[in-house]
Amino acid sequence: MAGLFAASFALYIQSTTMMEAAMGETKKTKVLIIGSGPAGYTAAVYAARAMLEPVLVQGIQPGGQLTITTEVENWPGETEIQGPDLMVKMESHAKAMGAEVITDIITDLDLSKRPFIAQSDSGTVYEAAAVILATGAQARWLDLPSEEKFKGFGVSACATCDGFFYRGKEVVVIGGGNTAVEEALFLTNFASKVTLIHRRDTLRSEKILQERLFKNPKIEVLWNHAVEEVLGDENPLGVTGVRVKSTVDGAEKVVPCDGFFVAIGHAPSSELVTEQLKLHSGGYVWVDPGSTRTSVEGVFAAGDLTDHTYRQAVTSAGMGCMAALDAEKWLAEQGEAE
Ligand SMILES: Cc1cc2nc3c(=O)[nH]c(=O)nc-3n(C[C@H](O)[C@H](O)[C@H](O)COP(=O)(O)OP(=O)(O)OC[C@H]3O[C@@H](n4cnc5c(N)ncnc54)[C@H](O)[C@@H]3O)c2cc1C
């Protein structure tokens, strides 16, 4: 029921706000927030409460990454809430505080002069004194249809988020870099057995991590295999194993498991600013340490877009708060806050 409510509410929001954003108008705002994940909505709450009348553009995934998961158990104040429901609450909160939330996609952003100009999919042009970038990141997936089917029902890209659900169970991790090894080690805190599957015969991760991995009695490494299909039950929907194929001789076999963790990396959604802002390797937006200030004055960044380490809803929300406070201070210095 909760899911149905979320879906219909999201549709309602979409139909009303799309109308608002249409017709090629120019919308002026003190603060333009790009992105509607935990970072964007938290920034909107704080900016609205600071009387900055923020405009938030939701993008192609209103509500962000949490809309594609089920239970969230680590959002303070909620012992268990469905990801989409949490994001509907955040959206309502931002609106209740006075933020204008618009379903639209920013297609081009000019940060070379002020006011900053954003072009959008609907034809609306946004003119902003300050910009908060909260466009998040996307986990890299294998792009198997079976992986898609079981996302949130045994397939995950976040051990920190979902490892807890696999207490005493067997899990598979796919990947060969630092992320995969760290996720495999982390999962041994819960799982009875962790199988790390890698398509080559060596790992790319740091040697010290490899040492810890090989020493851990709960971890088995399956070399030279690629995942062909995630296997599972229909009712209730859940993973029971993965079908793998040898990259050496093509032989297939099934590895039984209850959870399947894809750890082949993340891609920050920084396309709008690639040529305009200083970035970390991997495309994450650089911010002045301890703040959300980017390399362009008046432009702030928050959440997974700038964070390659923690990547959690609560840390993103925290950075969204920081971005709104940083923007407020900067606007006041420019005489633009009132
Ligand atoms: C399957 C899954 C399960 C997870 N479970 C948990 C969990 O249990 N607990 C936890 O703490 N974390 C969890 N996470 C991680 C958490 O979802 C992220 O850390 C968090 O959502 C990041 O928030 P964000 O606001 O930075 O960006 P995102 O949530 O990534 O949102 C980015 C937003 O930017 C918008 N956007 C992008 N490009 C544009 C554009 N051009 N114009 C306008 N808007 C744009 C998108 O539409 C989206 O709304 C999970 C992640 C996944 C994938």
Side-chain angles (χ1 to χ4, degrees):
M1 280 303 283
L4 261 179
F5 169 70
S8 53
F9 189 69
L11 263 177
Y12 161 70
I13 301 289
Q14 192 157 338
S15 59
T16 53
T17 50
M18 273 307 264
M19 282 189 285
E20 284 166 26
M23 314 307 281
E25 61 175 316
T26 296
K27 207 171 229 324
K28 295 186 183 183
T29 177
K30 289 185 193 117
V31 184
L32 175 66
I33 300 168
I34 307 178
S36 56
Y41 282 141
T42 308
V45 167
Y46 275 77
R49 292 190 78 247
M51 304 297 186
L52 295 174
E53 298 169 350
V55 168
L56 181 149
V57 177
Q58 290 183 308
I60 202 160
Q61 189 178 40
Q65 293 172 64
L66 283 186
T67 58
I68 58 159
T69 191
T70 50
E71 288 97 10
V72 176
E73 289 195 341
N74 52 12
W75 181 259
E78 302 275 2
T79 45
E80 186 186 318
I81 186 166
Q82 297 289 307
D85 294 345
L86 177 59
M87 297 319 298
V88 167
K89 279 184 153 190
M90 284 195 206
E91 177 172 344
S92 306
H93 190 170
K95 285 180 166 174
M97 291 299 119
E100 186 175 357
V101 176
I102 299 178
T103 302
D104 198 358
I105 301 167
I106 301 300
T107 49
D108 189 63
L109 184 60
D110 184 355
L111 302 176
S112 63
K113 54 186 182 307
R114 298 206 293 259
F116 303 116
I117 303 287
Q119 311 281 345
S120 78
D121 193 46
S122 71
T124 301
V125 176
Y126 299 86
E127 207 178 288
V131 170
I132 295 178
L133 298 164
T135 49
Q138 295 290 325
R140 291 205 169 93
W141 298 96
L142 297 174
D143 293 333
L144 300 169
S146 54
E147 174 192 60
E148 189 60 37
K149 176 176 171 181
F150 292 106
K151 267 184 200 168
F153 296 90
V155 169
S156 170
C158 178
T160 316
C161 314
D162 297 330
F164 181 81
F165 300 116
Y166 297 93
R167 218 169 261 283
K169 298 185 174 173
E170 297 194 4
V171 299
V172 157
V173 176
I174 182 99
N178 280 353
T179 309
V181 174
E182 278 168 359
E183 303 256 284
L185 287 165
F186 178 77
L187 285 164
T188 60
N189 293 319
F190 313 98
S192 56
K193 180 180 175 191
V194 178
T195 306
L196 180 74
I197 301 178
H198 187 40
R199 49 186 310 126
R200 300 181 223 290
D201 60 0
T202 51
L203 298 170
R204 291 187 314 280
S205 70
E206 289 163 33
K207 288 283 174 273
I208 184 155
L209 286 174
Q210 294 194 31
E211 254 174 52
R212 278 186 217 146
L213 182 92
F214 297 137
K215 266 194 216 150
N216 194 307
K218 279 191 178 177
I219 299 178
E220 185 179 311
V221 183
L222 181 59
W223 301 108
N224 298 316
H225 279 79
V227 174
E228 295 282 295
E229 186 183 2
V230 182
L231 307 170
D233 287 335
E234 292 292 330
N235 201 4
L237 201 59
V239 169
T240 55
V242 286
R243 182 165 57 81
V244 294
K245 189 175 184 178
S246 165
T247 53
V248 178
D249 60 13
E252 293 195 358
K253 65 178 178 179
V254 170
V255 180
C257 64
D258 305 290
F260 177 63
F261 288 84
V262 181
I264 54 175
H266 280 79
S269 307
S270 53
E271 306 82 14
L272 286 173
V273 296
T274 313
E275 304 295 328
Q276 306 183 74
L277 294 181
K278 183 173 163 186
L279 304 179
H280 286 287
S281 62
Y284 291 87
V285 170
W286 174 91
V287 287
D288 197 3
S291 83
T292 59
R293 290 187 298 271
T294 68
S295 53
V296 169
E297 230 191 275
V299 179
F300 305 86
D304 282 12
L305 174 68
T306 169
D307 170 23
H308 43 87
T309 309
Y310 303 105
R311 296 196 301 246
Q312 293 296 291
V314 71
T315 47
S316 297
M319 282 186 258
C321 155
M322 289 165 65
L325 296 178
D326 286 346
E328 182 191 2
K329 183 165 176 273
W330 183 80
L331 285 166
E333 286 163 6
Q334 311 301 309
E336 297 242 25
E338 290 309 313

